[in-house]
Amino acid sequence: MASTRLLCLLSARAAGSTKTLARAGCSVCFRRNVCSSPSRLQSCMSAWVIDQYGTNGVLRRTEEITVPLVSSPSEVMIQVHAASLNPLDISMRGGYGAKLLKLRRDPMSVMGTDSEFPLILGRDVSGIVVDCGSEVTHFEPGDEVWAAVPPWKQGSLAEFVTLTEYEVSHKPKLLSHTEAASIPYVANTALSALVNAGGLCRDSSSNKRVMITGGSGGVGTFSIQLLKAWGAHVTVTCSQNAEGLVRGLGADEVVDYTAGDVADQLEIMEKFDVIIDCVGGDTERWAMGLLKPWSGAKYITLVTPLLLNTDSMGLLNGTFNAVFTLHSKAVQNIISNGVFYRWGFYVPDGPALDEVSKLVDAGKILPVVEAQFPFTQVPQAFQKLEQGHARGKTVVRVADEDDRQAEELVQNSRTETAESEQEVQETATQN
């Protein structure tokens, strides 16, 4: 298998690109492992998985995860070059949303005790298409793509991931895979909140006053740039040492939440049309009063109790409790001051990423990568994210190790060839 992989590597170099390699049908060289299944042999890949919920210690690297081959006409199989971590990955590692997400993965699991493990985390992916279903029309092998992997699917901390073509988009031409992997999940989340819940778009955002709490994180840094591209006025709350970052991305006003009561600082400003809350906690207690009353203003929180409730109360009781909470708060706020109270959720949307890709290539949205880690250091990447106070995204370079191992194969091959030539010469001299 090593010799096959080396052959593909050399063929790719001769062809000049990974895209040529994929189109030439050499993607099999990346499926280098064989599962230790007693019943049949299957192509396997390297991945970081968890076999139980817990802290960083549950992360385990394995070479025996079955490659997720295309199984339906609308699916696209992607060789992962880079992935990035989101706070959701830390929460999911600890079991957040386990009951509802397990049901979403397999509706029949409600009838039995089937395990969701081993579970692969990672929501962002940038890579190259290596296979397509028969009904896929927008992609072909060799295309460079990016996507946000839904939390109910196996994630991107692996060599391959398979998604429907409607969840995938062509990667911006100006970005590397590492840069591109920092955007999709926060982009889909922000667009869902701003457009679906907030009613904003390119044609309706001009001069709208929007506030973002926790603006230096992934969703915040993307939202600032998108809103400015749409012509909105953006106010951000963050710590003092992140002020330069958010102002550089276009924020009009920045409030340092470490410099006193943030509500007092915001109350002296003109009221807002939309508030995007990326922090949660007691934010909504004081934030609702910052919205323009009786003008259709909207408060959208990305920190909702739905998954927490289903984890603690069960699927039916938890869902009912969450819906009742949302309904109660929505009615209370619309009656008291004419403000809309809404929840924002991630929604997979490849066509929306197509529009984001255009903005990126036009220079209106920049990737914000705070830290990079090789595939061998996924636990360290989680530790970095757990420190909090994000200044952008933490990215894992998945393909790096493949490149290093391939280089080692080339070097070992050269060494073996040189040693063989030396042995031949020595034998000839002795004879």
Side-chain angles (χ1 to χ4, degrees):
M1 186 62 73
S3 60
T4 303
R5 188 175 177 188
L6 176 59
L7 178 61
C8 283
L9 170 70
L10 297 176
S11 299
R13 288 182 171 178
S17 73
T18 308
K19 180 177 289 190
T20 306
L21 167 64
R23 286 180 172 153
C26 286
S27 61
V28 69
C29 70
F30 293 99
R31 305 173 197 170
R32 62 186 182 278
N33 306 315
V34 177
C35 292
S36 55
S37 170
S39 58
R40 59 179 177 170
L41 297 179
Q42 296 175 304
S43 295
C44 283
M45 65 179 180
S46 179
W48 283 91
V49 302
I50 60 172
D51 300 304
Q52 62 183 10
Y53 296 118
T55 58
N56 224 26
V58 301
L59 291 167
R60 173 178 67 90
R61 185 174 177 186
T62 176
E63 305 287 331
E64 296 195 347
I65 294 295
T66 303
V67 172
L69 301 176
V70 168
S71 59
S72 77
S74 63
E75 285 186 335
V76 175
M77 180 180 173
I78 303 169
Q79 181 209 347
V80 181
H81 278 229
S84 75
L85 300 183
N86 295 274
L88 178 63
D89 291 301
I90 294 176
S91 299
M92 288 180 62
R93 187 197 62 193
Y96 173 72
K99 291 182 180 179
L100 193 58
L101 293 176
K102 180 181 178 182
L103 180 66
R104 180 64 177 81
R105 294 184 194 104
D106 180 14
M108 296 304 296
S109 66
V110 72
M111 305 297 294
T113 57
D114 294 341
S115 173
E116 63 268 44
F117 302 116
L119 184 63
I120 304 172
L121 302 175
R123 307 271 60 90
D124 292 288
V125 58
S126 181
I128 294 178
V129 174
V130 294
D131 194 15
C132 299
S134 59
E135 296 180 3
V136 173
T137 59
H138 295 89
F139 305 97
E140 62 180 11
D143 285 350
E144 294 188 328
V145 296
W146 63 348
V149 182
W152 52 86
K153 292 189 175 183
Q154 292 285 31
S156 56
L157 292 175
E159 290 181 296
F160 296 93
V161 66
T162 297
L163 300 167
T164 68
E165 73 167 320
Y166 309 107
E167 296 165 335
V168 181
S169 167
H170 287 96
K171 180 181 76 66
K173 296 180 178 62
L174 295 182
L175 299 188
S176 67
H177 286 294
T178 299
E179 293 169 326
S182 69
I183 294 177
Y185 190 80
V186 296
N188 278 159
T189 302
L191 283 166
S192 175
L194 293 171
V195 178
N196 299 340
L200 298 174
C201 65
R202 179 180 55 191
D203 299 324
S204 66
S205 299
S206 180
N207 298 320
K208 292 286 187 181
R209 288 182 55 80
V210 182
M211 184 182 78
I212 305 170
T213 65
S216 64
V219 173
T221 53
F222 176 84
S223 297
I224 293 168
Q225 298 180 83
L226 181 65
L227 288 166
K228 292 309 299 179
W230 287 350
H233 181 282
V234 181
T235 300
V236 171
T237 69
C238 63
S239 64
Q240 183 181 14
N241 58 12
E243 181 174 350
L245 169 65
V246 297
R247 285 197 183 278
L249 296 174
D252 297 287
E253 296 179 277
V254 180
V255 175
D256 176 11
Y257 66 79
T258 66
D261 191 308
V262 66
D264 290 342
Q265 299 179 67
L266 289 165
E267 282 177 356
I268 63 175
M269 298 181 179
E270 182 182 343
K271 292 189 181 297
F272 300 96
D273 297 287
V274 177
I275 293 177
I276 302 294
D277 182 9
C278 304
V279 177
D282 68 345
T283 303
E284 66 181 67
R285 177 180 55 79
W286 51 261
M288 303 302 297
L290 301 176
L291 290 164
K292 297 177 181 178
W294 307 106
S295 63
K298 301 173 182 70
Y299 168 87
I300 302 108
T301 178
L302 300 178
V303 186
T304 75
L306 176 60
L307 295 182
L308 283 175
N309 283 0
T310 55
D311 288 339
S312 61
M313 303 177 188
L315 292 171
L316 292 178
N317 289 338
T319 301
F320 176 81
N321 184 276
V323 171
F324 179 78
T325 298
L326 174 60
H327 178 74
S328 299
K329 291 185 176 182
V331 171
Q332 177 185 350
N333 283 284
I334 197 67
I335 291 176
S336 62
N337 54 13
V339 169
F340 292 93
Y341 176 94
R342 292 177 177 174
W343 289 352
F345 295 97
Y346 154 81
V347 175
D349 193 341
L353 289 178
D354 289 341
E355 296 304 312
V356 174
S357 184
K358 294 176 184 178
L359 290 172
V360 171
D361 282 334
K364 295 184 178 180
I365 292 181
L366 302 174
V368 184
V369 178
E370 181 181 18
Q372 301 179 35
F373 292 84
F375 194 50
T376 54
Q377 295 181 10
V378 165
Q380 290 90 328
F382 270 84
Q383 289 174 354
K384 169 65 181 70
L385 187 61
E386 284 184 289
Q387 293 173 3
H389 305 291
R391 304 292 179 264
K393 295 295 291 293
T394 296
V395 178
V396 175
R397 302 186 305 271
V398 177
D400 274 10
E401 186 175 356
D402 274 327
D403 295 339
R404 286 195 299 273
Q405 290 181 352
E407 292 288 352
E408 290 175 3
L409 285 172
V410 172
Q411 185 60 44
N412 290 341
S413 176
R414 290 172 177 169
T415 302
E416 290 171 1
T417 300
E419 290 175 350
S420 297
E421 291 176 351
Q422 184 177 355
E423 290 176 0
V424 170
Q425 292 176 355
E426 290 177 352
T427 302
T429 301
Q430 292 174 358
N431 292 338

